PDB file of all heavy atoms in Angstrom:
ATOM      1  N   ILE B1159    -130.171 -18.422  80.090  1.00 69.00           N
ATOM      2  CA  ILE B1159    -129.388 -19.461  79.423  1.00 69.00           C
ATOM      3  C   ILE B1159    -127.986 -18.841  79.006  1.00 69.00           C
ATOM      4  O   ILE B1159    -127.875 -18.056  78.281  1.00 69.00           O
ATOM      5  CB  ILE B1159    -130.060 -19.894  78.072  1.00 69.00           C
ATOM      6  CG1 ILE B1159    -131.492 -20.239  78.342  1.00 69.00           C
ATOM      7  CG2 ILE B1159    -129.328 -21.084  77.502  1.00 69.00           C
ATOM      8  CD1 ILE B1159    -132.303 -20.498  77.034  1.00 69.00           C
ATOM      9  N   ALA B1160    -126.944 -19.378  79.869  1.00 59.00           N
ATOM     10  CA  ALA B1160    -125.637 -18.893  79.703  1.00 59.00           C
ATOM     11  C   ALA B1160    -124.911 -19.342  78.439  1.00 59.00           C
ATOM     12  O   ALA B1160    -124.329 -18.671  77.697  1.00 59.00           O
ATOM     13  CB  ALA B1160    -124.820 -19.111  80.846  1.00 59.00           C
ATOM     14  N   ASP B1161    -125.138 -20.687  78.154  1.00 47.00           N
ATOM     15  CA  ASP B1161    -124.461 -21.244  76.932  1.00 47.00           C
ATOM     16  C   ASP B1161    -125.069 -22.519  76.650  1.00 47.00           C
ATOM     17  O   ASP B1161    -126.082 -22.986  77.268  1.00 47.00           O
ATOM     18  CB  ASP B1161    -122.944 -21.401  77.243  1.00 47.00           C
ATOM     19  CG  ASP B1161    -122.739 -22.102  78.625  1.00 47.00           C
ATOM     20  OD1 ASP B1161    -123.420 -23.054  78.864  1.00 47.00           O
ATOM     21  OD2 ASP B1161    -121.777 -21.681  79.290  1.00 47.00           O
ATOM     22  N   GLU B1162    -124.545 -23.215  75.647  1.00 44.00           N
ATOM     23  CA  GLU B1162    -125.102 -24.430  75.164  1.00 44.00           C
ATOM     24  C   GLU B1162    -125.081 -25.546  76.249  1.00 44.00           C
ATOM     25  O   GLU B1162    -126.045 -26.325  76.446  1.00 44.00           O
ATOM     26  CB  GLU B1162    -124.419 -24.975  73.912  1.00 44.00           C
ATOM     27  CG  GLU B1162    -124.768 -24.181  72.745  1.00 44.00           C
ATOM     28  CD  GLU B1162    -126.223 -24.357  72.305  1.00 44.00           C
ATOM     29  OE1 GLU B1162    -126.826 -25.435  72.440  1.00 44.00           O
ATOM     30  OE2 GLU B1162    -126.785 -23.346  71.795  1.00 44.00           O
ATOM     31  N   ALA B1163    -124.023 -25.559  76.980  1.00 42.00           N
ATOM     32  CA  ALA B1163    -123.850 -26.652  77.984  1.00 42.00           C
ATOM     33  C   ALA B1163    -124.839 -26.396  79.037  1.00 42.00           C
ATOM     34  O   ALA B1163    -125.484 -27.361  79.532  1.00 42.00           O
ATOM     35  CB  ALA B1163    -122.358 -26.471  78.588  1.00 42.00           C
ATOM     36  N   THR B1164    -125.174 -25.174  79.410  1.00 41.00           N
ATOM     37  CA  THR B1164    -126.206 -24.867  80.438  1.00 41.00           C
ATOM     38  C   THR B1164    -127.448 -25.426  79.900  1.00 41.00           C
ATOM     39  O   THR B1164    -128.321 -25.907  80.588  1.00 41.00           O
ATOM     40  CB  THR B1164    -126.248 -23.421  80.760  1.00 41.00           C
ATOM     41  OG1 THR B1164    -124.937 -22.863  80.758  1.00 41.00           O
ATOM     42  CG2 THR B1164    -126.971 -23.105  81.963  1.00 41.00           C
ATOM     43  N   ARG B1165    -127.843 -25.071  78.630  1.00 42.00           N
ATOM     44  CA  ARG B1165    -129.020 -25.354  78.004  1.00 42.00           C
ATOM     45  C   ARG B1165    -129.232 -26.987  78.111  1.00 42.00           C
ATOM     46  O   ARG B1165    -130.418 -27.373  78.387  1.00 42.00           O
ATOM     47  CB  ARG B1165    -128.986 -25.023  76.574  1.00 42.00           C
ATOM     48  CG  ARG B1165    -130.274 -25.025  75.859  1.00 42.00           C
ATOM     49  CD  ARG B1165    -130.143 -24.762  74.412  1.00 42.00           C
ATOM     50  NE  ARG B1165    -129.422 -23.457  74.133  1.00 42.00           N
ATOM     51  CZ  ARG B1165    -130.066 -22.523  73.357  1.00 42.00           C
ATOM     52  NH1 ARG B1165    -131.129 -22.757  72.801  1.00 42.00           N
ATOM     53  NH2 ARG B1165    -129.343 -21.450  73.222  1.00 42.00           N
ATOM     54  N   ASP B1166    -128.190 -27.707  77.895  1.00 42.00           N
ATOM     55  CA  ASP B1166    -128.316 -29.087  77.954  1.00 42.00           C
ATOM     56  C   ASP B1166    -128.429 -29.680  79.277  1.00 42.00           C
ATOM     57  O   ASP B1166    -129.059 -30.712  79.551  1.00 42.00           O
ATOM     58  CB  ASP B1166    -127.123 -29.809  77.260  1.00 42.00           C
ATOM     59  CG  ASP B1166    -127.046 -29.473  75.793  1.00 42.00           C
ATOM     60  OD1 ASP B1166    -128.101 -29.070  75.208  1.00 42.00           O
ATOM     61  OD2 ASP B1166    -125.969 -29.599  75.216  1.00 42.00           O
ATOM     62  N   SER B1167    -127.943 -29.022  80.348  1.00 40.00           N
ATOM     63  CA  SER B1167    -127.958 -29.595  81.626  1.00 40.00           C
ATOM     64  C   SER B1167    -128.827 -28.834  82.642  1.00 40.00           C
ATOM     65  O   SER B1167    -128.534 -28.778  83.819  1.00 40.00           O
ATOM     66  CB  SER B1167    -126.531 -29.632  82.218  1.00 40.00           C
ATOM     67  OG  SER B1167    -126.104 -28.265  82.398  1.00 40.00           O
ATOM     68  N   HIS B1168    -129.964 -28.211  82.102  1.00 39.00           N
ATOM     69  CA  HIS B1168    -130.704 -27.351  82.945  1.00 39.00           C
ATOM     70  C   HIS B1168    -131.281 -28.085  84.122  1.00 39.00           C
ATOM     71  O   HIS B1168    -131.584 -27.520  85.110  1.00 39.00           O
ATOM     72  CB  HIS B1168    -131.663 -26.528  82.167  1.00 39.00           C
ATOM     73  CG  HIS B1168    -132.813 -27.386  81.502  1.00 39.00           C
ATOM     74  ND1 HIS B1168    -132.661 -28.121  80.367  1.00 39.00           N
ATOM     75  CD2 HIS B1168    -133.979 -27.594  82.024  1.00 39.00           C
ATOM     76  CE1 HIS B1168    -133.809 -28.688  80.245  1.00 39.00           C
ATOM     77  NE2 HIS B1168    -134.653 -28.517  81.078  1.00 39.00           N
ATOM     78  N   GLN B1169    -131.739 -29.298  83.810  1.00 38.00           N
ATOM     79  CA  GLN B1169    -132.384 -30.129  84.857  1.00 38.00           C
ATOM     80  C   GLN B1169    -131.501 -30.084  86.177  1.00 38.00           C
ATOM     81  O   GLN B1169    -132.017 -29.886  87.315  1.00 38.00           O
ATOM     82  CB  GLN B1169    -132.639 -31.551  84.503  1.00 38.00           C
ATOM     83  CG  GLN B1169    -133.718 -31.596  83.338  1.00 38.00           C
ATOM     84  CD  GLN B1169    -135.184 -31.513  83.909  1.00 38.00           C
ATOM     85  OE1 GLN B1169    -135.334 -31.204  85.128  1.00 38.00           O
ATOM     86  NE2 GLN B1169    -136.153 -31.566  82.966  1.00 38.00           N
ATOM     87  N   ALA B1170    -130.235 -30.459  86.040  1.00 37.00           N
ATOM     88  CA  ALA B1170    -129.427 -30.526  87.166  1.00 37.00           C
ATOM     89  C   ALA B1170    -129.167 -29.120  87.953  1.00 37.00           C
ATOM     90  O   ALA B1170    -128.969 -29.256  89.117  1.00 37.00           O
ATOM     91  CB  ALA B1170    -128.020 -31.055  86.637  1.00 37.00           C
ATOM     92  N   GLY B1171    -129.445 -28.137  87.245  1.00 37.00           N
ATOM     93  CA  GLY B1171    -129.126 -26.907  87.867  1.00 37.00           C
ATOM     94  C   GLY B1171    -130.203 -26.378  88.856  1.00 37.00           C
ATOM     95  O   GLY B1171    -129.992 -25.451  89.567  1.00 37.00           O
ATOM     96  N   TRP B1172    -131.420 -26.836  88.659  1.00 39.00           N
ATOM     97  CA  TRP B1172    -132.677 -26.189  89.448  1.00 39.00           C
ATOM     98  C   TRP B1172    -132.508 -26.239  90.821  1.00 39.00           C
ATOM     99  O   TRP B1172    -132.807 -25.164  91.488  1.00 39.00           O
ATOM    100  CB  TRP B1172    -133.908 -26.874  88.927  1.00 39.00           C
ATOM    101  CG  TRP B1172    -134.386 -26.396  87.564  1.00 39.00           C
ATOM    102  CD1 TRP B1172    -133.710 -25.571  86.707  1.00 39.00           C
ATOM    103  CD2 TRP B1172    -135.555 -26.794  86.916  1.00 39.00           C
ATOM    104  NE1 TRP B1172    -134.408 -25.437  85.589  1.00 39.00           N
ATOM    105  CE2 TRP B1172    -135.496 -26.047  85.680  1.00 39.00           C
ATOM    106  CE3 TRP B1172    -136.625 -27.440  87.273  1.00 39.00           C
ATOM    107  CZ2 TRP B1172    -136.565 -26.081  84.821  1.00 39.00           C
ATOM    108  CZ3 TRP B1172    -137.648 -27.535  86.308  1.00 39.00           C
ATOM    109  CH2 TRP B1172    -137.617 -26.919  85.150  1.00 39.00           C
ATOM    110  N   ARG B1173    -131.996 -27.273  91.422  1.00 39.00           N
ATOM    111  CA  ARG B1173    -132.094 -27.286  92.893  1.00 39.00           C
ATOM    112  C   ARG B1173    -131.110 -26.286  93.380  1.00 39.00           C
ATOM    113  O   ARG B1173    -131.456 -25.515  94.353  1.00 39.00           O
ATOM    114  CB  ARG B1173    -131.595 -28.704  93.460  1.00 39.00           C
ATOM    115  CG  ARG B1173    -132.046 -28.960  94.895  1.00 39.00           C
ATOM    116  CD  ARG B1173    -131.636 -30.233  95.293  1.00 39.00           C
ATOM    117  NE  ARG B1173    -130.086 -30.462  95.079  1.00 39.00           N
ATOM    118  CZ  ARG B1173    -129.652 -31.538  94.473  1.00 39.00           C
ATOM    119  NH1 ARG B1173    -130.442 -32.479  94.065  1.00 39.00           N
ATOM    120  NH2 ARG B1173    -128.385 -31.597  94.185  1.00 39.00           N
ATOM    121  N   GLY B1174    -129.887 -26.213  92.784  1.00 41.00           N
ATOM    122  CA  GLY B1174    -128.981 -25.165  93.110  1.00 41.00           C
ATOM    123  C   GLY B1174    -129.514 -23.710  92.953  1.00 41.00           C
ATOM    124  O   GLY B1174    -129.150 -22.848  93.739  1.00 41.00           O
ATOM    125  N   CYS B1175    -130.325 -23.546  91.893  1.00 38.00           N
ATOM    126  CA  CYS B1175    -130.958 -22.218  91.707  1.00 38.00           C
ATOM    127  C   CYS B1175    -131.779 -21.885  92.859  1.00 38.00           C
ATOM    128  O   CYS B1175    -131.743 -20.697  93.276  1.00 38.00           O
ATOM    129  CB  CYS B1175    -131.732 -22.241  90.411  1.00 38.00           C
ATOM    130  SG  CYS B1175    -130.699 -22.486  88.951  1.00 38.00           S
ATOM    131  N   LEU B1176    -132.541 -22.725  93.331  1.00 39.00           N
ATOM    132  CA  LEU B1176    -133.585 -22.399  94.265  1.00 39.00           C
ATOM    133  C   LEU B1176    -132.709 -22.094  95.656  1.00 39.00           C
ATOM    134  O   LEU B1176    -133.007 -21.075  96.400  1.00 39.00           O
ATOM    135  CB  LEU B1176    -134.412 -23.566  94.630  1.00 39.00           C
ATOM    136  CG  LEU B1176    -135.543 -23.849  93.505  1.00 39.00           C
ATOM    137  CD1 LEU B1176    -136.277 -25.115  93.799  1.00 39.00           C
ATOM    138  CD2 LEU B1176    -136.428 -22.627  93.449  1.00 39.00           C
ATOM    139  N   GLU B1177    -131.720 -22.927  95.925  1.00 45.00           N
ATOM    140  CA  GLU B1177    -130.944 -22.559  97.090  1.00 45.00           C
ATOM    141  C   GLU B1177    -130.268 -21.233  96.974  1.00 45.00           C
ATOM    142  O   GLU B1177    -130.177 -20.444  97.882  1.00 45.00           O
ATOM    143  CB  GLU B1177    -129.827 -23.593  97.300  1.00 45.00           C
ATOM    144  CG  GLU B1177    -130.407 -25.026  97.761  1.00 45.00           C
ATOM    145  CD  GLU B1177    -129.371 -26.099  97.553  1.00 45.00           C
ATOM    146  OE1 GLU B1177    -128.276 -25.795  97.181  1.00 45.00           O
ATOM    147  OE2 GLU B1177    -129.789 -27.241  97.800  1.00 45.00           O
ATOM    148  N   GLY B1178    -129.768 -20.942  95.644  1.00 45.00           N
ATOM    149  CA  GLY B1178    -129.196 -19.689  95.423  1.00 45.00           C
ATOM    150  C   GLY B1178    -129.971 -18.514  95.538  1.00 45.00           C
ATOM    151  O   GLY B1178    -129.481 -17.491  96.072  1.00 45.00           O
ATOM    152  N   LEU B1179    -131.178 -18.710  95.100  1.00 43.00           N
ATOM    153  CA  LEU B1179    -132.160 -17.540  95.267  1.00 43.00           C
ATOM    154  C   LEU B1179    -132.310 -17.182  96.631  1.00 43.00           C
ATOM    155  O   LEU B1179    -132.290 -16.048  97.111  1.00 43.00           O
ATOM    156  CB  LEU B1179    -133.456 -18.003  94.571  1.00 43.00           C
ATOM    157  CG  LEU B1179    -134.353 -16.815  94.157  1.00 43.00           C
ATOM    158  CD1 LEU B1179    -133.697 -16.043  92.998  1.00 43.00           C
ATOM    159  CD2 LEU B1179    -135.607 -17.367  93.394  1.00 43.00           C
ATOM    160  N   GLN B1180    -132.378 -18.179  97.508  1.00 45.00           N
ATOM    161  CA  GLN B1180    -132.557 -17.920  98.983  1.00 45.00           C
ATOM    162  C   GLN B1180    -131.339 -17.261  99.520  1.00 45.00           C
ATOM    163  O   GLN B1180    -131.382 -16.241 100.302  1.00 45.00           O
ATOM    164  CB  GLN B1180    -132.830 -19.124  99.731  1.00 45.00           C
ATOM    165  CG  GLN B1180    -133.011 -19.085 101.278  1.00 45.00           C
ATOM    166  CD  GLN B1180    -133.025 -20.342 101.921  1.00 45.00           C
ATOM    167  OE1 GLN B1180    -132.978 -21.438 101.372  1.00 45.00           O
ATOM    168  NE2 GLN B1180    -133.117 -20.332 103.297  1.00 45.00           N
ATOM    169  N   ALA B1181    -130.228 -17.709  99.022  1.00 49.00           N
ATOM    170  CA  ALA B1181    -128.920 -17.177  99.495  1.00 49.00           C
ATOM    171  C   ALA B1181    -128.840 -15.655  99.081  1.00 49.00           C
ATOM    172  O   ALA B1181    -128.443 -14.756  99.866  1.00 49.00           O
ATOM    173  CB  ALA B1181    -127.691 -17.930  98.934  1.00 49.00           C
ATOM    174  N   LEU B1182    -129.268 -15.402  97.871  1.00 48.00           N
ATOM    175  CA  LEU B1182    -129.195 -14.045  97.203  1.00 48.00           C
ATOM    176  C   LEU B1182    -130.068 -13.209  98.069  1.00 48.00           C
ATOM    177  O   LEU B1182    -129.744 -11.982  98.518  1.00 48.00           O
ATOM    178  CB  LEU B1182    -129.618 -14.035  95.861  1.00 48.00           C
ATOM    179  CG  LEU B1182    -129.711 -12.625  95.114  1.00 48.00           C
ATOM    180  CD1 LEU B1182    -128.301 -12.176  95.088  1.00 48.00           C
ATOM    181  CD2 LEU B1182    -130.344 -12.712  93.798  1.00 48.00           C
ATOM    182  N   ALA B1183    -131.272 -13.713  98.399  1.00 47.00           N
ATOM    183  CA  ALA B1183    -132.280 -12.884  99.175  1.00 47.00           C
ATOM    184  C   ALA B1183    -131.665 -12.493 100.553  1.00 47.00           C
ATOM    185  O   ALA B1183    -131.780 -11.413 100.963  1.00 47.00           O
ATOM    186  CB  ALA B1183    -133.599 -13.721  99.279  1.00 47.00           C
TER     187      ALA B1183
END
Side-chain angles (χ1 to χ4, degrees):
Chain B
I1159 309 170
D1161 49 44
E1162 287 296 324
T1164 318
R1165 193 185 301 235
D1166 294 341
S1167 66
H1168 69 280
Q1169 292 281 3
W1172 281 5
R1173 199 182 53 230
C1175 293
L1176 290 173
E1177 291 166 3
L1179 204 57
Q1180 184 188 355
L1182 179 70

